[in-house]
Amino acid sequence: MSFSRREFIGTAVVGSLAVNLPAQQAAGKRPIIVCANNGYPYLDAGFEFLKSGGDTLDAALRVVKGPEDDANDDSVGLGGLPNEEGVVELDACCMHGPTRRAGSVGGVRNIKNVSLVAKAVMQHTGHVMLVGEGAERFAVAQSFPRENLLTEHSRKIWLLWKEYHSTDDWWGPGLADPQWKPPGSAELWEKRISTLSEMTASVGIEPQRRGSAIRKVLFPPTGTIHCSALNEKGEISGCTTTSGLAYKLPGRVGDSPIIGAGCYTDQEVGSAGATGSGEENIKVAGAHTIVENMRRGMSPQEAGMDTLKRIVRNYNNDMNKLRFMDMTYYILRKDGAYAGVSLWEGYSPSPWEDPQPTPHRIAVHDGTRRAEKTVALFKGYSQEFPPFPRVPEELLAPLKAR
Ligand code: GLY
């Protein structure tokens, strides 16, 4: 696709193309694991397992099981933010490079470790993908315990969202609709923030978690974890798991369980996975596009950037829409070269939660565990918060004091 900086500057509202992209590829070191940053605490265990001869898919699954089990990670597994009816529905998939097999589950309720259920689909069925009630029954047959995945904290954020949104939800046309307009006036945002700050107290959210809860109501998160692992023999595998877009319509399935979108691994080439706006990633078959780009000779970074540009092209470079979405790709080539690329540099700061912006990061372990900033297509941050125009100080002050 052709792409010029001038085109973007002409339409940019909050961002411009990132320049001076840093080199971000290992010189072919392996074994190596790459993952989304929420996998960082679990990388040591995954790497030790891989180094001692463990299977590449099992190593990646060890990493993503960490956030699935963690009730405080509200983007994955136990404690994930629920759908619009308050029910947690999980998606996951995996690909095993050495045997060229894949497994996937979508819209699974009551089962925490859906990445392992995806592996069980791969190992114990003649299918690739199971969804909904059938996937849950299959998991129970495979001895996965049924449990309530909705934690008190996630329930309160959902309740806040539900009480707040009498008319604004996922029904109706989305961002891709030609009639879509950016959200409202200064007065509307002022009213929203002050209403929400009163409501956080009334639904019982602890003071120190109110800022984060407000953000998650205004900007439903799509957090996810992907992990790819490569061993000394050159075997490679990947997996992705998520609770999906917060407050989604029941039955909505994002990119994470879609082989070729949320994850794709080809033993001959490499592996890639995604976190971010699932609907956008499905439309560009992100992980598959990246792997095919690398097959044609692109570096991991070039392969990821080309795929991000396809998302931009789908919106005709319209920054009024692109600023409300984000995408991060985690890319590992078969020789151990890797890259983390993202549409935007990270999450914007919020005045009472994160005074500094949070950069998108790729977590890496190749003997040294580290988290590196991704290479961003656009300068700036997605989902500017508070959104334009800025919320007046007098409204923010009480929130900061909490
Ligand atoms: N990328 C996660 C989702 O959109 O469901």
Side-chain angles (χ1 to χ4, degrees):
M1 151 193 187
S2 70
F3 182 90
S4 80
R5 184 158 191 264
R6 184 175 299 164
E7 274 171 8
F8 280 99
I9 289 173
T11 53
V13 173
V14 292
S16 62
L17 265 180
V19 290
N20 301 326
L21 303 180
Q24 202 173 17
Q25 291 175 25
K29 203 169 168 190
R30 57 193 198 195
I32 178 170
I33 303 182
V34 302
C35 66
N37 201 34
N38 46 347
Y40 183 86
Y42 311 100
L43 268 178
D44 279 340
F47 187 78
E48 278 313 307
F49 176 80
L50 186 66
K51 218 176 119 193
S52 62
D55 177 72
T56 47
L57 179 56
D58 289 335
L61 288 167
R62 275 181 187 228
V63 174
V64 305
K65 185 175 181 296
E68 281 183 341
D69 288 342
D70 179 3
N72 291 316
D73 186 324
D74 63 19
S75 69
V76 180
L78 177 67
L81 286 170
N83 68 20
E84 68 169 11
E85 293 174 353
V87 180
V88 180
E89 289 184 340
L90 305 179
D91 303 331
C93 77
C94 65
M95 289 193 85
H96 188 242
T99 57
R100 301 175 190 281
R101 289 182 300 165
S104 163
V105 288
V108 180
R109 300 178 173 194
N110 304 315
I111 309 286
K112 177 175 66 175
N113 295 122
V114 278
S115 60
L116 297 176
V117 182
K119 182 187 170 191
V121 171
M122 180 186 91
Q123 275 190 316
H124 298 296
T125 77
H127 306 310
V128 166
M129 186 171 200
L130 295 178
V131 300
E133 204 190 318
E136 182 181 337
R137 287 212 302 264
F138 167 78
V140 171
Q142 293 289 328
S143 300
F144 287 87
R146 272 199 177 100
E147 58 192 298
N148 177 19
L149 303 181
L150 188 64
T151 57
E152 266 307 277
H153 182 61
S154 286
R155 186 187 64 77
K156 284 176 185 170
I157 296 179
W158 165 73
L159 201 59
L160 182 67
W161 174 82
K162 195 151 177 70
E163 287 188 11
Y164 173 71
H165 285 272
S166 54
T167 54
D168 296 338
D169 54 29
W170 292 109
W171 293 98
L175 206 56
D177 188 273
Q179 305 304 324
W180 185 88
K181 296 261 186 323
S185 63
E187 296 72 36
L188 183 58
W189 281 110
E190 287 171 25
K191 188 167 169 300
R192 285 178 170 182
I193 304 260
S194 70
T195 304
L196 271 166
S197 57
E198 283 163 20
M199 289 171 70
T200 50
S202 76
V203 300
I205 294 175
E206 305 94 305
Q208 70 277 14
R209 302 179 95 173
R210 286 179 191 165
S212 160
I214 291 174
R215 187 189 185 104
K216 284 170 184 161
V217 167
L218 292 175
F219 301 109
T222 57
T224 298
I225 177 165
H226 166 79
C227 185
S228 289
L230 172 71
N231 67 13
E232 275 171 359
K233 292 186 274 182
E235 294 170 340
I236 191 164
S237 297
C239 58
T240 301
T241 178
T242 190
S243 53
L245 180 64
Y247 333 120
K248 60 196 173 185
L249 302 191
R252 178 265 189 188
V253 169
D255 59 326
S256 303
I258 307 295
I259 304 287
C263 180
Y264 193 73
T265 304
D266 186 312
Q267 181 53 49
E268 303 306 313
V269 180
S271 184
T275 60
S277 309
E279 279 73 9
E280 306 314 326
N281 193 35
I282 291 172
K283 289 188 282 185
V284 297
H288 182 263
T289 298
I290 288 168
V291 171
E292 291 309 305
N293 279 345
M294 291 197 291
R295 193 194 306 279
R296 295 203 310 273
M298 287 188 197
S299 70
Q301 186 173 308
E302 289 165 344
M305 282 293 169
D306 172 75
T307 306
L308 291 170
K309 288 170 191 172
R310 294 176 192 223
I311 293 174
V312 173
R313 182 194 58 191
N314 281 347
Y315 283 90
N316 299 318
N317 305 345
D318 182 349
M319 302 306 285
N320 272 324
K321 293 189 175 183
L322 290 165
R323 70 191 171 111
F324 289 104
M325 63 185 74
D326 212 342
M327 182 61 57
T328 302
Y329 291 122
Y330 312 87
I331 307 163
L332 180 59
R333 203 168 58 188
K334 201 193 160 187
D335 64 357
Y338 68 91
V341 302
S342 52
L343 193 60
W344 294 97
E345 289 178 88
Y347 305 107
S348 62
S350 68
W352 58 85
E353 189 193 3
D354 303 312
Q356 301 303 320
T358 312
H360 291 311
R361 294 183 193 278
I362 179 172
V364 182
H365 205 324
D366 57 6
T368 308
R369 185 177 65 153
R370 56 197 181 274
E372 298 176 0
K373 286 183 186 172
T374 58
V375 177
L377 183 63
F378 294 137
K379 273 195 178 302
Y381 303 95
S382 60
Q383 304 178 339
E384 284 286 320
F385 189 79
F388 296 126
R390 294 193 76 77
V391 178
E393 267 308 307
E394 58 269 26
L395 279 175
L396 296 178
L399 289 165
K400 283 180 184 166
R402 280 176 183 160

